[in-house]
């Protein structure tokens, strides 16, 4: 379906173009600029070509962090998407329960990232934290500053707590838009609860799920604040994700060139994976009848 | 006058409109009649300026309006769905285009009241649309389109979502609404009966083309081609392929039909005879009637009339007969054609001969 | 298969209905005989869809019982009722092929796969979608989707009844004829009980052997199409069925005569003196326009040519009177109206009155 045309509309878009240029394009170009040069301070730059890129791709440190990122995003999607769908399915469709559930679901989304980190940092401490203390008391060896598994568990639980709501809200919106006749027809056809989910709800949720998965993938792949606050990337390097490593390299070691090259590679990976998700999910059963 | 000249509209690989030329006069109703996806909505969007034609021109009073954005054209539209501002009262809904245009309070009040009176909305002016029935909601949308005093009002199947009886009522009122204004009304419908009840002019559409345009009853009585006749027939048009020989029209099973005055002069060759369901008779309508054998597939009764669906030599026909006919399904019956009431189409589907009209119009 | 009995059922969407207006469906006693085709006809909001959903089990009645044969079905869910239902908007399972759509209700009921194959193949043939069996259902046109919905109902051998909820709403006029005749054909072939809900009188009357006319949650008449047309029991039925509807004129009835204004109209049979609130009802089909002097004088206000006939809108003693004129009939400038006495009905307080003697 094509749109009404109006050339004046372009002027209205101009502020956004300018804003995006300053906030995204120009910084990105600066990063590109850094990534092909070397500097020792005093604003003196030397051409480095693709050296930093080669170094980044060859670096074990980078590859380890990348693997951690991939595992983390995979776990996040594997937990949050099914959990989000399940919670959305369990939510009431009418009555006073709807608004109660919606408000409860929205609460975690309202809390800033670093506050979430701090909450869980305190919550999980074995001396004063409720969770840490309870776990320690029932004999589970939980110490996120010492144990890599505990640290990972903390970061994942924290992210699930923080962001599953987003998936829930998107899915809920998708579910309530399914006409009643579909459920009625399915009941008459003798469909099981599972068949209703598989053949009615899931297909109708496809579009919102695409958005949910894309958002959650991009966000989890770029995770920074929570592990930074809670674990600081440790113990050892066990929760050092690409973003944390990047900051260490750029701010801590002031290796601007390698950090810039790493940023670009990082950016391209996010872009490529998002694209793959998008095409795979839109390709399956793409025929949507177009109206005239 | 709104004029379309050789308008073509392509969207991607598909051609929605294949060369339409049409001239619509002010102060009249123009019906676009055609099945779903025949291009009615596409054509309306082009008229409204929501879409730009791929080629061709759209002119208002001789001036091209292609490229003039829809906001700058004086156009109103009514859709199949009842579209109103849900939080505004009926009064405010109707008044909204007048407020945008910056009219003073007094004008607004009098204009709204005039439109409300015309569409029988006076008792509901203080309600919000969701407190109204479907028919009243659509009346509100119509009233809003009317007060705008637009040059062009487009109605896209406005009655499709209403009950049969409500449709009948609004349909009876609409011609009055259309009659007294200098506006061009364009009304899209899939239903031949609706076109006939509305009157005015009708353009029949098939596969993105206007097949005929003229006064509604004229198009119905004198279709230029078989596609138009089919589009403008409900129940569906009955057809019978024949070849013209010296003895007359000969059917595949050898029955001879003597051609009527106009048809007698046609050259020999292949033709298609077409006749509407009420001209397929169960009793001989006169001495010249042609008898054909057919088997009954289904018989339906509407209370006053019967629809008998019959099969004849691979063609499915519908006969519309007065009264309640209890006809046994699967039985063989004789049906009759009146040679004076046949349309004759040539092998290209163009009209070769039309039956004479009976009553003085 | 069995007959369906509605034993005093009533339904309200409120938890505590108090006023009569709280009831979407007022008390109904009705029997649907096995193997017949029925239509439920009425304007929107008259309760016809509610009644349909009570039969299929999508709703449980507030009062009364529903029996299939001797068996009480009142509290049972739809899947336990052997009912198929076709909805206004076609419901197809988008991700499944046409074949799998039709197989779905069978597979849900654990019908052996070999039988599923033969039954679905047969159904594809009946609904004419054989060549599209492997296509995804999502890409089909509205009428094809509606055929699938219908096929999913018919494919089950155990159905007691098929319910239709305005199934032709989204179908083009030409295809309506095709689909409707296919429905009729299927009904003759399989002999299921069919109940068809619609607001469209043509659909209702052509489809059904018997029609239930509903108005404001009540059944106002149950009868054959011919009965509904010729002897509407309520002026609402007269108005709702027929296009245009029945003419209803206030009249003074005295024996075998009715006076409309100062004009005398003959009746068939004697009605005594029903007194105030009497009206006569006559269908436009039974009013003939004749040259002045032959009947009661009328004033022609407009003529609508709808092709095969014309609607003549006239005034008789200040009351609207519609007549139908055939395509060949000439209309006089000075006109009068002739009434067919056998088709003039008498109503008192909107209800039909039978003559005392014929």
């Amino acid at each position: 379906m094509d749109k009404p045309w109006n050339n004046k509309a372009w002027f209205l878009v101009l502020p956004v173009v300018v804003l995006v240029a300053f906030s995204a394009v120009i910084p990105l170009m600066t990063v590109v600029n850094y990534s092909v040069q070397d500097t020792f301070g005093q604003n003196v730059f030397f051409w480095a070509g693709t050296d930093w890129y080669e170094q980044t791709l060859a670096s074990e440190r980078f590859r380890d962090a990348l693997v951690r990122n991939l595992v983390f995003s995979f776990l996040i999607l594997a937990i949050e998407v099914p959990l989000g769908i399940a919670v959305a399915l369990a939510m009431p469709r009418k009555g006073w329960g709807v608004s109660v559930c919606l408000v409860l679901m929205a609460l975690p989304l309202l809390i800033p990232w670093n506050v979430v980190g701090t909450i869980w940092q305190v919550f999980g401490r074995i001396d004063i934290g409720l969770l840490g203390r309870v776990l320690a008391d029932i004999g589970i060896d939980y110490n996120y500053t010492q144990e890599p598994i505990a640290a990972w568990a903390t970061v994942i639980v924290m992210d699930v707590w923080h962001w599953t709501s987003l998936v829930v809200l998107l899915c809920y919106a998708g579910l309530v838009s399914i006409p009643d006749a579909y459920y009625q027809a399915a009941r008459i056809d003798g469909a099981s609860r599972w068949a209703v989910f598989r053949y009615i709800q899931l297909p109708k949720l496809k579009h919102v799920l695409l958005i949910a998965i894309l958002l959650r993938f991009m966000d989890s792949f770029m995770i920074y604040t929570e592990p930074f606050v809670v674990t600081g990337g440790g113990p050892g390097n066990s929760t050092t994700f690409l973003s944390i490593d990047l900051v260490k390299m750029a701010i801590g070691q002031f290796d601007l060139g390698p950090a810039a090259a790493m940023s670009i590679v990082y950016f391209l990976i996010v872009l490529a994976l998002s694209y793959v998700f998008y095409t795979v999910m839109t390709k399956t059963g793409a025929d949507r009848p177009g109206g005239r | 006058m709104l004029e379309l000249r050789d308008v073509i509209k392509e969207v991607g690989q598909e051609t929605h409109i294949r060369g339409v030329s049409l001239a619509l006069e002010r102060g009249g109703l123009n019906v676009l009649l055609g099945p779903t996806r025949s291009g009615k909505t596409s054509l309306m969007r082009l008229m409204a300026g929501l879409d730009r034609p791929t080629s061709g021109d759209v002119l208002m009073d001789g001036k091209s309006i292609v490229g003039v954005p829809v906001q700058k054209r004086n156009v109103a539209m009514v859709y199949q769905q009842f579209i109103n501002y849900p939080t505004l009262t009926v009064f405010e809904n109707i008044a909204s285009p007048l407020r945008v245009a910056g009219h003073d309070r007094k004008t607004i009040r009098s204009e709204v009241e005039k439109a409300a009176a015309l569409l029988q909305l006076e008792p509901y002016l203080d309600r919000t649309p969701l407190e109204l029935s479907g028919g009243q909601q659509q009346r509100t949308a119509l009233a809003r389109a009317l007060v705008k005093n637009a040059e062009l009002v487009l109605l896209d199947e406005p009655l499709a979502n209403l009950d049969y009886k409500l449709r009948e009522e609004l349909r009876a009122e609409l011609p009055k609404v259309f009659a007294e204004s200098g506006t061009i009304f364009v009304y899209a419908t899939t239903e031949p009966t609706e076109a006939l009840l509305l009157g005015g002019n009708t353009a029949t559409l098939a596969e993105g083309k206007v097949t005929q345009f003229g006064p509604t009853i004229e198009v119905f009585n004198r279709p230029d081609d078989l596609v138009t006749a089919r589009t403008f027939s409900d129940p569906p048009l009955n057809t019978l392929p024949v070849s013209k020989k010296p003895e007359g029209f000969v059917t595949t099973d050898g029955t001879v039909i003597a051609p009527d005055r106009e048809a007698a002069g046609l050259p020999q060759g292949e033709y298609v005879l077409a006749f509407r369901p009420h001209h397929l008779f169960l009793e001989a309508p006169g001495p010249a009637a042609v008898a054909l054998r057919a088997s009954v597939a289904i018989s339906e009764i509407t209370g006053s009339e019967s629809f008998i669906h019959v099969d004849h030599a691979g063609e499915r026909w519908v006969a519309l007969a007065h009264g309640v006919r209890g006809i046994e399904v699967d039985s063989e019956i004789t049906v009759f054609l009146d040679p004076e009431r046949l349309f004759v189409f040539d092998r290209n589907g163009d009209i070769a001969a039309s039956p004479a009209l009976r009553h003085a119009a | 298969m069995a007959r369906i009995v509605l034993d005093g059922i009533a339904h309200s969407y409120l938890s505590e209905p108090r006023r009569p207006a709280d009831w979407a469906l007022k008390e109904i006693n009705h029997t649907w005989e096995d193997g017949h085709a029925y239509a439920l006809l009425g304007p929107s909001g008259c309760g016809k869809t509610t009644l349909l959903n009570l039969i299929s089990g999508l709703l449980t009645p507030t009062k009364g019982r529903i029996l299939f044969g001797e068996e009480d079905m009142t509290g049972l869910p739809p899947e336990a009722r052997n009912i198929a239902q076709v909805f206004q908007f076609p419901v197809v399972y988008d991700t499944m092929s046409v074949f799998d759509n039709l197989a779905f209700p069978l597979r849900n009921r654990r019908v052996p796969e070999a039988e599923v194959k033969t039954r679905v193949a047969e159904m594809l043939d009946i609904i004419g979608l054989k060549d599209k069996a492997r296509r995804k259902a999502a890409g089909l046109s509205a009428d094809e989707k509606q055929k699938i919905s219908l096929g999913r109902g018919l494919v089950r051998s155990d159905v007691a009844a098929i319910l239709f909820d305005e199934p032709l709403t989204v179908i083009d006029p030409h295809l309506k004829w095709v689909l409707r005749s296919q429905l009729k054909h299927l009904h003759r072939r399989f002999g299921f009980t069919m109940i068809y809900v619609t607001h469209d009188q043509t659909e209702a009357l052509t489809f059904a052997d018997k029609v239930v006319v509903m108005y404001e949650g009540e059944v106002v008449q149950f009868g054959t199409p011919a009965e509904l047309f010729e002897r509407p029991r309520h002026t609402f039925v007269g108005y709702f069925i027929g296009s245009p509807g029945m003419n209803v004129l206030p009249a003074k009835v005295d024996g075998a005569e009715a006076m409309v204004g100062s004009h005398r109209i003959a009746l068939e049979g004697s009605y005594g003196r029903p007194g105030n609130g009497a009206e006569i009802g006559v269908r436009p089909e039974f009013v003939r326009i004749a040259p002045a002097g032959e009947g009661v004088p009328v004033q022609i206000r407009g003529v609508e040519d709808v092709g095969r006939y014309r609607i003549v809108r006239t005034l008789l003693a200040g009351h609207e009177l519609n007549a139908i004129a055939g395509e060949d009939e000439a209309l006089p400038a000075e006109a009068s109206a002739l009434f067919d006495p056998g088709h003039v009905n008498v109503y008192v307080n909107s209800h039909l009155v039978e003559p005392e003697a014929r």
Side-chain angles (χ1 to χ4, degrees):
Chain A
M1 197 54 74
D2 43 5
K3 304 230 154 55
W5 67 93
N6 186 341
N7 293 331
K8 260 186 231 154
W10 289 109
F11 292 107
L12 301 175
V13 181
L14 205 61
V16 178
V17 174
V18 172
L19 204 71
V20 169
F22 273 96
S23 67
V25 181
I26 294 174
L28 191 66
M29 288 304 120
T30 318
V31 174
V32 172
N33 192 27
Y34 278 133
S35 73
V36 290
Q37 302 189 66
D38 197 1
T39 177
F40 304 100
Q42 279 97 33
N43 262 340
V44 185
F45 290 93
F46 304 92
W47 177 253
T50 58
D51 287 4
W52 298 133
Y53 288 94
E54 284 162 30
Q55 190 185 316
T56 301
L57 293 173
S59 137
E60 208 161 303
R61 180 173 154 186
F62 174 79
R63 274 187 262 160
D64 286 351
L66 179 61
V67 168
R68 279 192 284 274
N69 262 57
L70 289 170
V71 172
F72 181 73
S73 285
F74 172 78
L75 288 174
I76 288 298
L77 289 179
I79 297 170
E80 288 182 9
V81 171
L83 185 63
I85 296 173
V87 174
L89 286 172
M91 270 168 67
R93 297 289 156 74
K94 50 184 170 209
W96 55 269
V98 176
S99 31
V100 172
C101 285
L102 288 178
V103 169
L104 281 178
M105 281 298 134
L107 271 181
L109 298 175
L110 300 174
I111 302 172
W113 286 257
N114 53 348
V115 177
V116 172
T118 313
I119 291 173
W120 281 83
Q121 192 197 21
V122 176
F123 192 43
R125 277 175 64 166
I126 26 179
D127 48 355
I128 57 166
L130 185 63
L131 176 73
R133 189 60 187 273
V134 168
L135 285 175
D137 281 356
I138 60 173
I140 293 169
D141 186 16
Y142 170 78
N143 186 341
Y144 60 78
T145 56
Q146 309 279 313
E147 286 292 318
I149 296 206
W152 266 76
T154 310
V155 176
I156 284 175
V157 169
M158 192 164 61
D159 194 275
V160 168
W161 177 81
H162 195 183
W163 289 113
T164 305
S165 304
L166 181 75
V167 183
V168 172
L169 293 180
L170 283 168
C171 288
Y172 188 72
L175 283 174
V176 292
S177 69
I178 300 174
D180 243 5
Y182 279 86
Y183 294 112
Q184 298 180 344
R187 285 181 72 187
I188 285 162
D189 286 339
S192 61
R193 186 69 199 82
W194 164 250
V196 170
F197 174 69
R198 168 70 185 79
Y199 297 112
I200 295 176
Q201 292 171 324
L202 202 55
K204 300 270 169 204
L205 281 182
K206 211 179 74 186
H207 295 282
V208 288
L209 276 181
L210 170 67
I211 295 168
I213 289 176
L214 273 181
L215 284 176
R216 284 316 301 133
F217 165 72
M218 290 189 287
D219 232 30
S220 63
F221 204 76
M222 298 186 294
I223 187 161
Y224 174 73
T225 317
E226 293 95 329
F228 177 76
V229 172
V230 177
T231 65
N237 276 332
S238 62
T239 56
T240 302
F241 297 107
L242 283 171
S243 56
I244 292 182
D245 204 23
L246 192 60
V247 172
K248 271 188 198 162
M249 197 185 286
I251 315 287
Q253 298 155 245
F254 216 69
D255 285 336
L256 289 185
M262 189 172 154
S263 308
I264 297 292
V265 174
Y266 190 8
F267 170 69
L268 291 177
I269 291 170
V270 176
L271 203 66
L273 286 175
S274 301
Y275 178 76
V276 169
F277 272 120
Y278 182 79
T279 33
V280 167
M281 292 197 61
T282 44
K283 216 175 182 179
T284 47
D287 43 359
R288 294 165 85 193
R292 278 193 193 178
Chain B
M1 190 172 76
L2 178 71
E3 209 178 333
L4 277 73
R5 281 192 197 151
D6 305 316
V7 168
I8 292 174
K9 177 69 186 171
E10 288 162 2
V11 178
Q13 296 290 311
E14 282 181 80
T15 309
H16 289 185
I17 298 295
R18 317 168 181 265
V20 165
S21 297
L22 206 57
L24 309 178
E25 299 288 340
R26 280 179 186 275
L29 171 65
N30 304 279
V31 180
L32 299 179
L33 172 68
T36 314
R37 301 183 70 80
S38 61
K40 301 187 297 296
T41 304
S42 299
L43 209 53
M44 286 192 148
R45 292 179 62 88
L46 290 166
M47 289 174 178
L50 288 165
D51 290 339
R52 183 195 273 270
T54 311
S55 72
D57 209 351
V58 182
L59 304 103
M60 183 62 99
D61 297 330
K63 263 192 297 195
S64 174
I65 48 169
V66 170
V68 179
V70 66
Q71 300 89 323
K72 289 211 168 165
R73 299 185 184 190
N74 197 359
V75 178
M77 223 163 162
V78 177
Y79 302 86
Q80 183 176 344
Q81 296 81 10
F82 315 136
I83 297 175
N84 293 301
Y85 299 105
T87 56
L88 299 182
T89 61
V90 171
F91 183 95
E92 284 305 322
N93 260 288
I94 303 174
S96 58
L98 299 170
R99 296 222 190 276
V100 172
H103 287 284
D104 61 76
R105 280 171 159 279
K106 246 175 84 187
T107 322
I108 290 177
R109 178 148 285 279
S110 74
E111 286 293 310
V112 171
E113 278 170 0
K114 217 168 79 190
L118 194 60
L119 287 155
Q120 300 177 19
L121 282 168
E122 287 143 314
Y124 315 108
L125 285 174
D126 295 331
R127 299 204 200 163
T128 59
L130 295 179
E131 297 169 310
L132 301 178
S133 72
Q136 290 156 350
Q137 289 184 43
Q138 195 63 317
R139 283 166 196 265
T140 306
L142 280 166
R144 197 175 56 235
L146 286 180
V147 293
K148 200 175 171 189
N149 206 8
E151 286 181 304
L152 177 64
V153 176
L154 301 163
L155 306 119
D156 195 355
E157 299 188 43
L159 306 186
N161 283 4
L162 294 176
D163 266 9
Y164 195 83
K165 272 283 153 176
L166 280 173
R167 251 183 245 179
E168 203 175 284
E169 276 169 25
L170 261 172
R171 212 151 41 197
E173 287 167 28
L174 282 175
K176 281 179 244 162
V177 174
F178 298 147
E180 30 199 284
S181 71
T183 302
I184 303 168
F185 288 94
V186 182
Y187 187 111
T189 181
T190 57
E191 294 184 27
T193 322
E194 184 154 271
L196 284 166
L197 284 166
L198 289 167
N201 292 315
T202 290
T204 45
L205 264 88
E207 293 174 354
K209 267 188 163 164
V210 169
T211 59
Q212 193 169 345
F213 178 64
T216 302
I217 193 72
E218 195 89 337
V219 177
F220 179 81
N221 283 329
R222 302 227 165 266
D224 285 342
D225 51 46
L226 192 52
V227 177
T228 305
R230 277 193 206 282
T231 308
F232 211 152
S233 189
D234 184 41
L237 189 75
N238 301 315
T239 53
L240 174 64
V242 291
S243 37
K244 177 125 193 301
K245 295 192 175 146
E247 63 267 36
F249 292 118
V250 182
T251 67
T252 45
D253 64 0
T255 310
V256 178
I257 301 168
D260 186 30
R261 343 143 270 130
E262 209 182 315
L266 292 174
Q268 296 188 15
E270 303 297 311
Y271 292 93
V272 173
L273 303 183
F275 40 98
R276 299 193 191 274
H278 63 293
H279 290 153
L280 179 62
F281 300 93
L282 299 180
E283 290 92 25
V290 179
L292 294 165
R293 295 296 284 171
S295 71
V296 179
I298 287 152
S299 95
E300 301 176 310
I301 301 160
T302 67
S304 59
E305 292 169 326
S306 305
F307 296 113
I308 318 295
H309 300 235
V310 298
D311 291 315
H312 172 85
E315 304 276 339
R316 170 63 62 91
W317 292 340
V318 180
L320 197 163
H322 280 288
V324 174
R325 311 294 182 105
I327 292 181
E328 194 78 7
V329 171
D330 288 337
S331 61
E332 288 279 319
I333 60 166
T334 305
V335 290
F336 299 90
L337 295 181
D338 184 346
E340 292 178 18
R341 293 181 190 267
L342 298 174
F343 291 102
V344 185
F345 295 96
D346 65 20
R347 62 164 64 207
N348 301 322
D350 292 325
I351 192 80
S354 300
L357 288 181
R358 297 305 183 86
H359 68 79
Chain C
M1 289 195 221
R3 64 194 194 139
I4 299 170
V5 181
L6 308 180
D7 179 15
I9 63 161
H11 190 75
S12 171
Y13 290 98
L14 306 175
S15 50
E16 284 171 30
R18 292 196 188 87
R19 301 168 301 137
D22 292 346
W23 293 88
L25 199 66
K26 286 157 196 152
E27 193 175 303
I28 285 179
N29 289 292
H30 191 85
T31 301
W32 311 94
E33 294 297 341
D34 187 20
H36 285 255
Y38 293 98
L40 273 172
L41 175 66
S44 59
C46 73
K48 54 192 193 301
T49 298
T50 304
L51 183 53
L52 202 68
N53 289 342
L54 288 172
I55 298 171
S56 62
L58 292 168
L59 290 173
T60 307
T62 314
K63 282 202 298 200
R65 296 187 309 153
I66 294 173
L67 308 169
F68 286 14
E70 300 301 312
E71 219 177 322
D72 192 338
M73 288 279 172
T74 314
L76 292 182
E79 53 271 29
R81 288 195 185 194
N82 300 335
I83 286 276
Q85 192 163 352
V86 179
F87 298 88
Q88 185 169 6
F89 296 98
V91 174
V92 295
Y93 303 106
D94 286 345
T95 52
M96 293 188 204
S97 66
V98 173
F99 185 96
D100 290 339
N101 258 280
L102 294 175
F104 191 61
L106 298 177
R107 288 177 178 156
N108 285 332
R109 287 175 174 76
R110 317 218 174 282
V111 173
E113 197 57 29
E115 197 187 332
V116 169
K117 276 221 173 77
T118 53
R119 293 259 288 279
V120 171
E122 194 191 357
M123 192 44 60
L124 282 167
D125 210 18
I126 291 169
I127 59 174
L129 288 176
K130 208 170 200 170
D131 48 333
K132 293 187 174 162
R134 294 283 148 215
R135 284 264 301 270
K136 276 258 174 78
L140 301 179
S141 66
D143 61 300
E144 287 168 332
K145 285 185 179 179
Q146 199 59 306
K147 283 184 186 174
I148 295 174
S149 313
L150 174 66
R152 274 207 322 269
L154 292 172
V155 78
R156 288 157 51 192
S157 59
D158 59 346
V159 280
I162 303 185
L163 311 181
F164 299 90
D165 192 357
E166 312 207 0
L168 300 183
T169 306
V170 293
I171 309 294
D172 270 0
H174 282 76
L175 289 166
K176 273 185 191 171
W177 285 86
V178 178
L179 275 186
R180 216 171 61 208
S181 64
Q182 276 184 352
L183 271 187
K184 282 276 237 190
H185 190 75
L186 291 172
H187 180 244
R188 276 175 20 86
R189 174 161 170 185
F190 291 102
F192 295 125
T193 307
M194 290 187 171
I195 304 175
Y196 188 111
V197 158
T198 178
H199 62 82
D200 185 321
Q201 42 150 334
T202 314
E203 275 178 38
L205 297 173
T206 51
F207 175 80
D209 313 329
K210 280 195 157 185
V211 180
V212 176
V213 185
M214 293 187 66
Y215 181 54
E216 294 185 342
E218 281 179 281
V219 172
V220 285
Q221 189 168 356
F222 174 58
T224 63
E227 283 166 4
L228 294 176
F229 188 78
E230 286 169 13
R231 306 278 291 163
R233 300 195 60 80
H234 192 279
T235 47
F236 173 78
V237 179
Y239 151 80
F240 199 75
I241 290 174
S243 183
M246 185 171 70
N247 297 299
V248 178
L249 307 164
K252 245 196 208 99
V253 174
D254 185 356
E257 271 178 3
M259 297 290 290
V260 176
S262 58
H263 306 296
R264 199 176 298 274
I265 289 161
L267 303 173
E268 200 181 64
S270 172
Y271 289 85
R273 283 201 184 142
N276 289 338
E279 290 164 313
I280 58 165
V282 58
R283 294 220 171 258
E285 287 83 351
F286 302 123
V287 179
R288 202 163 64 77
I289 298 298
E294 291 184 25
V296 290
V298 293
Q299 201 187 322
I300 297 182
R301 292 189 310 141
V303 180
E304 290 163 34
D305 192 339
V306 289
R308 66 186 168 89
Y309 60 86
R310 284 164 295 162
I311 302 168
V312 189
R313 304 207 182 264
T314 72
L315 279 181
L316 165 62
H319 303 292
E320 273 184 46
L321 179 76
N322 298 323
I324 299 280
E327 57 176 344
D328 300 340
E329 268 175 62
L331 292 175
E334 297 284 307
S336 68
L338 290 169
F339 293 70
D340 176 352
H343 287 105
V344 180
N345 298 320
V346 176
Y347 295 86
V348 174
N349 298 325
S350 303
H351 289 275
L352 182 73
V353 187
E354 296 294 335
E356 290 167 359
R358 288 238 171 205

